[in-house]
Amino acid sequence: MDFIKNMEWRYATKRFDTTRKIPRTELDLLKRSIQLTPSPYGLQLYKVIIIASQELKETLKPFSQHQHQITDCSHLFVFCNYSTVKDEYIDDYIRTKSGILHIDADRAAANGTSLKAKIAEKTPEQTTNWLKNQTYLALGSLLTACADLKIDACPMEGFEPKHYNNILRLEEKGLNACVIAATGYRSTEDKVQYNPKVRKPAGLLFEEI
Ligand SMILES: Cc1cc2nc3c(=O)[nH]c(=O)nc-3n(C[C@H](O)[C@H](O)[C@H](O)COP(=O)(O)O)c2cc1C
């Protein structure tokens, strides 16, 4: 199965080849993999900032534990969750869905109202967790698509969201930097690529009932 071979091939890349950039056609495929990611109710309550600017990557590096991947990668993906669920996000979604699926206005309005009521049942903490969790699923799609295209990636939580929010002016858009991924091509000098995978044995990881 190619999928498993690809998952064995991929690893959290520590050193990227700074001379290689992801071509536009492949970048568009990576974007499409994120776009197709399922999300609760289909709302997609996040935005993904894709950074190619070397200057911007240099600015972000000190707020990313000085990890080399930030500046050496081709493109840095910043997965940003919306900080709150505004009615307008749900209205936008209902409008889009109604247009595509030809749902009549009354039924669409009822859908929107029940969706807002359902989400309002969550505590603020539950809402925050719920919003952040959605970005991780999108990250998973990106990592899988990267492996399929033989593009290297490093998922990263080692950064300071507060500074990212500030530098990328995310707060004014109602966004929060949640998790990031450096993407590009591995350097032959990255020794980590030659390590065998460290994973829990299946007997510990799974329980079949
Ligand atoms: C959400 C998440 C955050 C991570 N953060 C970092 C990070 O900040 N820096 C880093 O070098 N690796 C980071 N990693 C990589 C993991 O350490 C790595 O995926 C794990 O050890 C398994 O190794 P493999 O991906 O090479 O198979 C992160 C992975 C995930 C999924």
Side-chain angles (χ1 to χ4, degrees):
M1 186 184 181
D2 281 351
F3 177 78
I4 298 297
K5 281 201 189 96
N6 294 338
M7 292 296 279
E8 282 163 351
W9 172 86
R10 67 145 298 281
Y11 74 109
T13 307
K14 306 296 175 200
R15 295 272 164 182
F16 285 92
D17 180 341
T18 54
T19 64
R20 294 187 64 192
K21 302 292 170 203
I22 300 172
R24 168 54 55 187
T25 46
E26 310 244 301
L27 193 63
D28 286 343
L29 291 172
L30 297 182
K31 287 165 71 174
R32 184 74 177 138
S33 77
I34 292 171
Q35 193 181 24
L36 287 171
T37 301
S39 64
Y41 305 112
L43 286 167
Q44 296 176 289
L45 293 171
Y46 48 82
K47 198 163 184 131
V48 185
I49 316 285
I50 303 169
I51 303 173
S53 156
Q54 197 56 27
E55 193 187 341
L56 197 45
K57 288 189 283 169
E58 297 285 352
T59 308
L60 292 169
K61 189 178 180 183
F63 307 108
S64 319
Q65 298 175 356
H66 293 275
Q67 297 186 78
H68 292 281
Q69 296 98 314
I70 301 293
T71 42
D72 293 353
C73 73
S74 167
H75 290 76
L76 182 68
F77 286 68
V78 182
F79 293 83
C80 311
N81 60 283
Y82 280 101
S83 305
T84 56
V85 186
K86 291 187 183 161
D87 281 355
E88 66 185 78
Y89 304 154
I90 296 172
D91 294 338
D92 282 349
Y93 167 71
I94 294 290
R95 205 175 304 114
T96 306
K97 182 178 173 183
S98 308
I100 293 171
L101 300 183
H102 308 295
I103 298 168
D104 71 69
D106 285 351
R107 224 181 99 207
N111 280 350
T113 306
S114 73
L115 207 47
K116 286 172 195 168
K118 195 80 202 132
I119 293 169
E121 286 172 12
K122 295 182 195 297
T123 64
E125 193 190 353
Q126 284 171 336
T127 303
T128 301
N129 289 336
W130 184 66
L131 289 166
K132 288 185 172 180
N133 289 345
Q134 300 184 28
T135 66
Y136 281 84
L137 215 53
L139 168 72
S141 293
L142 173 70
L143 297 178
T144 308
C146 278
D148 191 54
L149 293 168
K150 294 286 186 285
I151 291 171
D152 287 292
C154 185
M156 303 169 87
E157 282 178 324
F159 71 100
E160 296 173 63
K162 199 176 71 180
H163 289 287
Y164 269 60
N165 291 347
N166 189 22
I167 292 163
L168 300 173
R169 305 169 73 110
L170 296 176
E171 263 165 29
E172 59 200 63
K173 297 177 198 154
L175 293 165
N176 166 64
C178 186
V179 66
I180 63 177
T183 59
Y185 299 93
R186 65 187 69 177
S187 159
T188 48
E189 280 159 36
D190 189 357
K191 295 196 178 69
V192 179
Q193 68 188 289
Y194 307 112
N195 291 344
K197 285 260 170 263
V198 180
R199 291 294 190 271
K200 280 185 182 177
L204 267 182
L205 189 59
F206 303 106
E207 201 172 311
E208 293 190 27
I209 301 172

